[in-house]
Structures are given as structure tokens and as C-alpha cells.
Amino acid sequence: MEDDRLFKFRKPQWLNSAWVRNSGVYGAGALFSLAFYVLLDAAVWSKSRLNGSDVHVTFVDWLPLIFSSLGMLIINSVEKARLSTDSFSYSGNGVAWKARVVLFLGFAALAGGMAGGVTVFVLKFVVPGVGWPMMGMGVENVVANGLVGLSSVVLWISQNMEDEYSYNLAL
Amino acid sequence: MPTAGLKTIIALSFVLAVGFLLVILSCALWKVYYPLLVVASYVLAPLPNWICSRCSNPDDFVESSGNAILDLGRFCTGFLVIMGIALPVVLAHSHLIDVGAMVMCIIGGLLIYGTIVSFGMFFQEEQEF
């Protein structure tokens, strides 16, 4: 197990504890919640009295977040153990291939959501030259999609820790 | 872990009362009753964890589906806890509630949630042994 690692630096020992793993999952939920409320903040601010302009948050602004969340759902629903065919492939070759295709779709949705956030920001806020307090709505859109990406990274890493952890326990 | 005696119960209920006092005061002083939503989110926060721990079998290491549903519960709990902090900030940013109400509401909500968590910790520990 120690001999066939790929990189020079080994993973620190504290990463394998169940406590770190659980707090990683809690943290992923927290980051996702933060993303949702950042975009909700933009929508509420857009309808409040503070917004004097006629730039408003519409359904188009929500679409990138919907796509990012869908991508995150797909990525984290895939069973990670089915991805590695070269080690102990009791599941056969076809399952790993399907898992990779589904995972690709998930990453495409996540990256598409982020790109969509930047697109909305550029086309709706930068190009028409919207002033600053209104520009915040577009910035919040980009930030929300970035937070969804960060959340799925944290969730992915802490789910990969699970294998090591259960392996150590099984020994 | 010391045994959860009478002093613990009194202290916890005192903290819970202070938390509710802060949240209700933050609503009533400005006569805007949106911050009461924070109480609902904090009361709901331990619920997904609780339900999912009933559904799964943590002793099962062969099949990892038990761990996945535990993770789902933890994810939802993290979501609801941050919701309790983010909701007053969103409301205050749009001037729907005052900044003072936001601060009081966040502190009160954290006190309520801390009470719920420590109550669960004390009394789960006692049941196990």
C-alpha cells in the first residue's frame, strides 16, 4: 500500500481520521448553503427599495446555479470504487466506462454552470456598463457558482478519504 | 464526560431562554418578524442527521451505502446551520431588518443551536453506556 503511491509527498496521517472526514462533509454542506444564499441575496436585493435601476435578477441569473448544482449532484452520486478498473475489477469493464461517462457529464454541467455565471456577469452587467451597487448582483452570481464548485471539491475529497479509513479499519 | 446532572440541565435551559429572548427581542424591538425564521432553521438543523442515522447501519463495512446516507444527513445539517446565519445577513443587506436586529438574531440563534447540540451530546452519551 505504501510502496505503490504515485507522488513524492505522502498524505498526512491526520487526513485519515473519521473526524476530519465528517467535518469535510459538514463543510461541503456549509459551502453549498453559502452559495445558495449569496445568490438569494442578489435576488432579494434586486427587488428591495435599494435597487434604483431597472436591472433585475431574473430566471436567467438562476440558471448557472441550477446547472452547477445538478453537476455536483451527478458527480457525488457516482460510486467512486467503480472508477478503477485496473485494481480488482469485480464489477467488470462496462461499469467503469459508464461511471466515467456519467462523471464526465457531471463535470461538464459543473464547468458549464461556472462559465454560465461568468457569461451572465459579462453580458448583463459589464457590457451595458451597470454602476457599482447594481454590479454586485453579477459579482454574487460568479461567487455563488465558484462556491458550488468548491463545495463539490470538498465533498469529493472527503468521500475519497472514506476508502482509506474503512481500509484501515478492515485491517 | 461528567454525568449530566441537574446543574447541566439548568444551565442549558438558561442558555436556551437567553437565546429565545435575543431572537424575539430582535423581532419585537423593530416590529419586523422575519428573524423568527432563524429559530425554525436551527430547530430543523439536527433533524436530517437524526433521521439518516436511523436509516443506516454503521457497522456494515462491506456495503458503503450506509455511509452515503449518513453523509447526506451531514450535508443537510451543514446547509441548515449556515442558513441560520445567512438568512439574517441577507435580510439586513436589503434593509428589511436592522443591523442590530441581525446581530442579536445571529447570537440568539447560535445560542439556541449550541443548546440543542450539547443537549444531544450529553444525553446520547448517557444512553450508550
Side-chain angles (χ1 to χ4, degrees):
Chain A
M1 173 108 187
E2 280 298 318
D3 291 332
D4 54 319
R5 63 195 156 86
L6 180 59
F7 295 108
K8 280 185 178 177
F9 296 104
R10 70 186 67 194
K11 247 168 40 175
Q13 261 321 305
W14 55 266
L15 266 180
N16 277 338
S17 74
W19 188 83
V20 175
R21 202 184 84 76
N22 288 349
S23 48
V25 177
Y26 281 122
L31 282 174
F32 186 76
S33 172
L34 216 56
F36 178 71
Y37 280 96
V38 163
L39 199 56
L40 193 72
D41 180 58
V44 170
W45 195 87
S46 143
K47 288 287 178 200
S48 75
R49 269 172 298 166
L50 296 175
N51 186 5
S53 68
D54 51 354
V55 180
H56 283 294
V57 171
T58 51
F59 183 66
V60 175
D61 298 70
W62 284 91
L63 266 179
L65 189 77
I66 292 172
F67 270 97
S68 310
S69 314
L70 210 62
M72 183 179 171
L73 185 70
I74 293 171
I75 288 170
N76 288 298
S77 305
V78 171
E79 181 72 60
K80 308 286 185 302
R82 300 285 175 273
L83 278 176
S84 48
T85 38
D86 48 354
S87 72
F88 192 53
S89 62
Y90 59 89
S91 54
N93 220 354
V95 181
W97 214 84
K98 278 177 212 158
R100 279 174 196 160
V101 170
V102 171
L103 209 59
F104 175 74
L105 286 180
F107 276 114
L110 191 64
M114 278 188 201
V118 176
T119 308
V120 167
F121 175 60
V122 169
L123 286 186
K124 202 170 164 182
F125 294 92
V126 174
V127 173
V130 179
W132 232 106
M134 280 71 76
M135 186 80 114
M137 291 187 284
V139 175
E140 278 178 324
N141 202 335
V142 176
V143 169
N145 286 296
L147 281 173
V148 171
L150 199 65
S151 164
S152 58
V153 166
V154 170
L155 195 56
W156 174 276
I157 290 175
S158 44
Q159 277 189 341
N160 275 356
M161 265 180 231
E162 172 189 37
D163 301 337
E164 304 275 327
Y165 170 63
S166 52
Y167 182 76
N168 283 346
L169 268 190
L171 282 178
Chain B
M1 181 73 61
T3 53
L6 199 59
K7 274 181 195 165
T8 321
I9 295 177
I10 292 173
L12 281 182
S13 57
F14 188 73
V15 172
L16 187 71
V18 170
F20 271 110
L21 172 78
L22 276 176
V23 173
I24 290 175
L25 214 58
S26 76
C27 297
L29 275 183
W30 285 272
K31 298 206 170 44
V32 182
Y33 285 85
Y34 290 121
L36 277 184
L37 285 172
V38 171
V39 178
S41 95
Y42 276 125
V43 168
L44 285 180
L47 214 59
N49 236 344
W50 191 56
I51 293 172
C52 292
S53 66
R54 297 276 156 163
C55 292
S56 75
N57 182 13
D59 299 331
D60 200 3
F61 280 112
V62 183
E63 204 68 36
S64 59
S65 59
N67 268 333
I69 198 158
L70 273 181
D71 283 350
L72 180 68
R74 293 199 186 102
F75 188 85
C76 291
T77 299
F79 188 91
L80 285 170
V81 170
I82 295 297
M83 175 180 167
I85 299 174
L87 211 55
V89 176
V90 167
L91 290 173
H93 183 218
S94 301
H95 288 200
L96 287 172
I97 61 173
D98 207 84
V99 176
M102 177 192 87
V103 172
M104 283 166 75
C105 183
I106 288 175
I107 294 173
L110 286 180
L111 285 180
I112 293 173
Y113 185 63
T115 313
I116 293 172
V117 166
S118 47
F119 198 85
M121 263 167 55
F122 276 123
F123 289 92
Q124 216 163 27
E125 206 73 18
E126 201 166 280
Q127 272 179 359
E128 270 179 14
F129 296 115

